[in-house]
Each structure stands twice: as C-alpha cells, then as structure tokens.
C-alpha cells in the first residue's frame, strides 16, 4: 500500500522537467550544461533529444559557469543544471560572472534536507541558498511541481533580460529522497 502510494506521488511529480524544458525553449536557451544527476535525469534527456539545444556534460559544476559566460559572449544563452552539493564548487566562478556583468541561470536540485539519508549532503544542502545569495544570485525556491515553471521563467527573465544571476532551487521532496539501495 505505501509503495503504491509513493509510486502515485512520484508519477504526479514527474512533469516538472517537461515544464522546465518548455521554459528553456521560451527563454531561447540553446546550451544546457550539466553534471549528471538523477534529479535532473528527465530534463537532461529532454534537452538531449531537442535539436535546438546542445546538452553538454561536465566533470565539475564550475565548468558550467564558464560555459555560460562563453555562451553569452558568443551570442547564445546557457543554463547550468546541478545538484546543491555542486554549488560549493562555484563561488570563485560566480565572482567572475558578477564582476563581468554576465547573466547566469542555474537550476539546482536539492539534497541535504527533505528525508536525506547521506550526512555528506547536509552541509551544502543547508547552505546552498545562502552561498548563492552571498555570490550575488537571486534565489527562487520551488517546493511544488506547479511552482517550478513560474520560478524558472522568472529567474530566466531576471538573468537574461536584466543581466543578473539567478538560481531556482528544486526541493528535495520534489525529486524524491535517495538511499544507498537505489
């Protein structure tokens, strides 16, 4: 009974990646940088299948910040998909974005909060928003599936229209908790 209920909840929450993909198209994003992450899996697959987008796997998140700068200088728009633990790799690169006035948009799947089992995820998960804010990013949070697209679009407009840095944090309860058994 509980497993069936959890499966129904998971199915109901699974459309946010499709909505986020539509927002990327609306914003004219053509480069999607990502460090492989189960929370972003469906969105990454949608971007890989989209002929108008180039999905670019990275080895570290800070590479994605540099990629976003290069995309902007080349006349294109980029987004960085990362997990909250990867935010800790980015402050020096975000300082460059702020100093140079480059727009920056990131979609961050959260770990270290809702039902987290891995103690290594707690420190960055609990300080992700503050780290991004200290670096000069506006931070939006999406706690429900229907909040993802509006938050992502607002962040994208802020980034690309106002030349700012913006992040959307996707709540861990939206992507589901993980275990070492998964």
């Amino acid at each position: 009974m509980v497993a069936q209920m959890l499966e129904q909840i998971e199915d109901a929450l699974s459309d946010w990646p499709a909505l986020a993909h539509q927002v990327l198209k609306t914003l004219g994003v053509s480069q999607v940088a990502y460090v492989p992450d189960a929370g972003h899996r469906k969105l990454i697959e949608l971007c890989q299948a989209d002929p108008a987008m180039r999905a670019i796997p990275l080895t570290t998140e800070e590479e994605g910040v540099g990629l976003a700068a290069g995309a902007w200088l080349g006349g294109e728009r980029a987004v960085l998909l990362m997990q909250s633990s990867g935010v800790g790799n980015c402050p020096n690169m975000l300082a460059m974005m702020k100093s140079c006035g480059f727009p920056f948009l990131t979609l961050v799947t959260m770990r270290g909060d809702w039902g987290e089992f891995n103690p290594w995820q707690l420190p960055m998960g609990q300080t992700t928003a503050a780290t991004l804010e200290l670096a000069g990013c506006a931070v939006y949070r999406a706690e429900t599936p229907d909040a993802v697209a509006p938050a992502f679009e607002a962040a994208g407009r802020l980034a690309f229209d106002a030349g700012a840095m913006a992040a959307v944090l996707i709540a861990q309860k939206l992507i589901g908790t993980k275990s070492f058994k998964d």
Side-chain angles (χ1 to χ4, degrees):
M1 170 106 169
V2 172
Q4 182 183 8
M5 194 167 75
L6 289 174
E7 187 176 321
Q8 289 172 342
I9 291 170
E10 188 175 309
D11 289 344
L13 298 179
S14 64
D15 349 359
W16 74 261
L19 296 172
H21 179 256
Q22 286 305 309
V23 170
L24 289 173
K25 292 182 81 59
T26 299
L27 294 170
V29 170
S30 60
Q31 296 185 36
V32 180
Y34 66 93
V35 173
D37 169 43
H40 282 299
R41 183 184 52 79
K42 185 174 178 184
L43 178 55
I44 291 167
E45 289 170 354
L46 290 168
C47 294
Q48 288 170 331
D50 189 328
M53 292 182 185
R54 183 167 176 220
I56 305 158
L58 308 170
T59 56
T60 64
E61 293 78 6
E62 62 270 27
E63 292 174 345
V65 179
L67 183 140
W72 186 254
L73 289 171
E76 295 190 12
R77 293 178 172 187
V79 66
L80 172 58
L81 308 179
M82 66 176 151
Q83 191 180 91
S84 55
S85 56
V87 170
N89 296 332
C90 297
N92 285 335
M93 293 298 289
L94 292 173
M96 176 200 62
M97 299 298 273
K98 185 174 182 176
S99 296
C100 294
F102 294 141
F104 178 69
L105 177 62
T106 186
L107 186 61
V108 180
T109 53
M110 293 301 296
R111 292 284 308 267
D113 57 18
W114 186 267
E116 182 61 61
F117 77 99
N118 184 347
W120 290 99
Q121 294 288 346
L122 297 177
M124 198 63 233
Q126 294 173 359
T127 60
T128 298
T131 299
L132 289 165
E133 288 166 347
L134 285 170
C137 284
V139 175
Y140 299 79
R141 290 177 174 80
E143 298 281 333
T144 61
D146 60 323
V148 174
F152 199 31
E153 185 168 6
R157 298 271 177 230
L158 183 68
F160 299 125
D161 295 345
M165 297 190 310
V168 176
L169 309 183
I170 305 293
Q172 187 167 359
K173 64 183 172 182
L174 225 85
I175 61 168
T177 57
K178 298 175 182 163
S179 73
F180 282 126
K181 297 174 190 173
D182 293 342

